[in-house]
Amino acid sequence: MADDGVLGAELAEELRGRRIDFHEVPLVDIAGLLDGSDPQGVAAKVAEACERVGFLYVTGHGVSDKLIEAAFAQTKALFDLPLEAKDRWHIRHSSAHRGYVPLFEENTDPEDTADKKEAFDLGVDLAADDPDVVAGKPLHGPNTWPEAALLPAFRPTIEAYDAEMRRLAGDLLRAFALGLELPEQWFADKVDRPLAQLRLLHYPPQAGRIERRELGCGAHTDYGCLTILAQDAVGGLQLLNSAGEWVDAPPVPGAFVVNIGDQMARWTNDRFKATLHRVINVSGRERYSMPYFFDPNYDTWVETLPSCLAPGETPRHAPVLAGEWLAQRLTATFTYRQQPGA
Ligand SMILES: O=C(O)CCC(=O)C(=O)O
Ligand SMILES: [Fe+2]
């Protein structure tokens, strides 16, 4: 528990219906899914965690420690650059929501003022002549890359890490499908041109009494299918449990934090839970994290899965077009997207 006493009550109120029962975040080793020895057994554990908590730690994921460390090192090197350099890659210059996001640009919780974190946002790197890019499809386009002369290892390292995240997201979706009594590949054609976002995040240390406007990341649920988070050893991620208490999700060496986003909750009629979480860095140290948000293809309709409806039960959510949902959530939380002409 790391509650400052200022925030809990107010933030808990608006999400009362979504609170769930959990006292700790389960840890699931998914090696038996990856090597094919026990996909059903892994899927059952993953689904249980998604149903009860909406968050799990994942080990046995096959991503090398070296690659994770290298990606963190590049993340730190990027944020260590002077603001004038980072501002050249400001996200407002991108037609596809890619690039540098300064402190307080983003506001994940509309009850707050803004987030005390800086970010660098990447996505599926599409060429300028890609038909969807030419057609101006929202969120489709090229990444913004720092000049190679400044950070030579940044692009190759981050591209390698991004590829591993995409692979792992596909593996987790196979587990989700099996856990939801669907064919293992059920999600595959809905996510083969995904609106995946890799974000590199930096949270400066916070001290003293922390006001709502100065949370590292305000209370929110994620917007997509699933999130794979690498966090450094500093800590600061909290989840809201069923009793309205914020509980810590501390770093576990070698494990990713995986959580369910809004679209998977909608798909499953809330059988899989999109759980509120936030970040407050009271460690006195710089904190870095790398969440990978895996969202379906822009044109995928997310509507209640028949396998998630009991006889006589009706869907709780209207169908949404995945890309429109994501674009709306981003516009609601990023100041630059709300400017005229953005
Ligand atoms: O930095 C973290 O630990 C989590 C960040 C997060 O929840 C998000 O970016 O959606
Ligand atoms: Fe999040």
Side-chain angles (χ1 to χ4, degrees):
M1 274 301 297
D3 207 330
D4 48 61
V6 178
L7 310 148
E10 275 178 70
L11 293 181
E13 187 66 25
E14 61 184 293
L15 290 130
R16 186 164 291 159
R18 303 173 84 174
R19 289 182 200 157
I20 54 168
D21 269 316
F22 68 87
H23 296 287
E24 56 182 43
V25 179
L27 188 148
V28 180
D29 182 339
I30 64 164
L33 172 76
L34 300 195
D35 67 16
S37 64
D38 188 20
Q40 290 289 354
V42 170
K45 287 185 192 150
V46 168
E48 193 277 336
C50 295
E51 289 173 18
R52 189 165 56 83
V53 185
F55 268 81
L56 61 151
Y57 291 104
V58 168
T59 58
H61 43 66
V63 185
S64 88
D65 292 346
K66 261 197 154 145
L67 180 57
I68 300 169
E69 278 166 30
F72 268 121
Q74 291 306 313
T75 296
K76 183 172 184 315
L78 176 98
F79 290 121
D80 279 350
L81 292 170
L83 190 57
E84 306 84 79
K86 295 184 282 192
D87 204 50
R88 286 206 298 278
W89 314 310
H90 194 293
I91 196 162
R92 69 171 175 265
H93 304 310
S94 165
S95 58
H97 194 71
R98 314 294 165 91
Y100 176 68
V101 181
L103 291 175
F104 304 119
E105 155 65 35
E106 187 184 357
N107 180 10
T108 27
D109 181 353
E111 302 287 305
D112 285 357
T113 306
D115 292 0
K116 190 172 184 177
K117 67 166 187 279
E118 55 179 346
F120 194 81
D121 289 9
L122 301 116
V124 177
D125 203 4
L126 297 175
D129 63 354
D130 179 282
D132 281 337
V133 179
V134 173
K137 200 165 193 173
L139 304 173
H140 289 68
N143 278 334
T144 297
W145 294 106
E147 297 84 355
L150 258 182
L151 285 181
F154 183 85
R155 182 169 179 170
T157 306
I158 296 303
E159 282 184 331
Y161 185 76
D162 183 79
E164 274 292 77
M165 289 299 101
R166 183 156 174 183
R167 187 272 301 162
L168 180 56
D171 289 330
L172 289 165
L173 281 179
R174 288 194 291 122
F176 286 6
L178 291 172
L180 293 165
E181 300 93 35
L182 296 165
E184 187 166 341
Q185 295 297 337
W186 192 86
F187 289 105
D189 64 350
K190 287 122 192 125
V191 300
D192 55 5
R193 201 169 164 76
L195 287 172
Q197 271 191 295
L198 174 62
R199 306 197 72 194
L200 312 176
L201 303 179
H202 168 220
Y203 299 83
Q206 300 190 246
R209 180 188 159 90
I210 297 166
E211 300 294 340
R212 286 214 324 199
R213 69 177 56 221
E214 288 213 352
L215 280 195
C217 179
H220 66 283
T221 56
D222 291 345
Y223 315 144
C225 278
L226 66 99
T227 306
I228 305 169
L229 172 78
Q231 53 172 336
D232 67 10
V234 168
L237 174 63
Q238 302 176 1
L239 329 179
L240 191 68
N241 77 4
S242 61
E245 302 162 328
W246 288 99
V247 296
D248 288 332
V252 172
F256 290 109
V257 177
V258 170
N259 66 282
I260 296 299
D262 298 333
Q263 299 199 34
M264 190 56 67
R266 297 178 81 97
W267 240 333
T268 62
N269 214 32
D270 296 325
R271 179 167 154 187
F272 283 8
K273 305 294 190 301
T275 295
L276 272 173
H277 53 286
R278 70 185 185 191
V279 178
I280 309 173
N281 177 14
V282 290
S283 66
R285 288 182 283 157
E286 311 296 322
R287 177 179 191 266
Y288 299 91
S289 70
M290 303 183 293
Y292 179 77
F293 302 95
F294 196 67
D295 294 25
N297 302 351
Y298 191 99
D299 296 315
T300 295
W301 279 99
V302 176
E303 57 184 323
T304 310
L305 288 162
S307 70
C308 295
L309 279 178
E313 204 183 356
T314 49
R316 293 184 189 194
H317 306 285
V320 289
L321 197 62
E324 283 182 1
W325 174 269
L326 178 61
Q328 278 169 17
R329 295 303 300 135
L330 295 174
T331 300
T333 50
F334 280 79
T335 310
Y336 91 92
R337 293 176 65 92
Q338 297 154 12
Q339 311 301 317

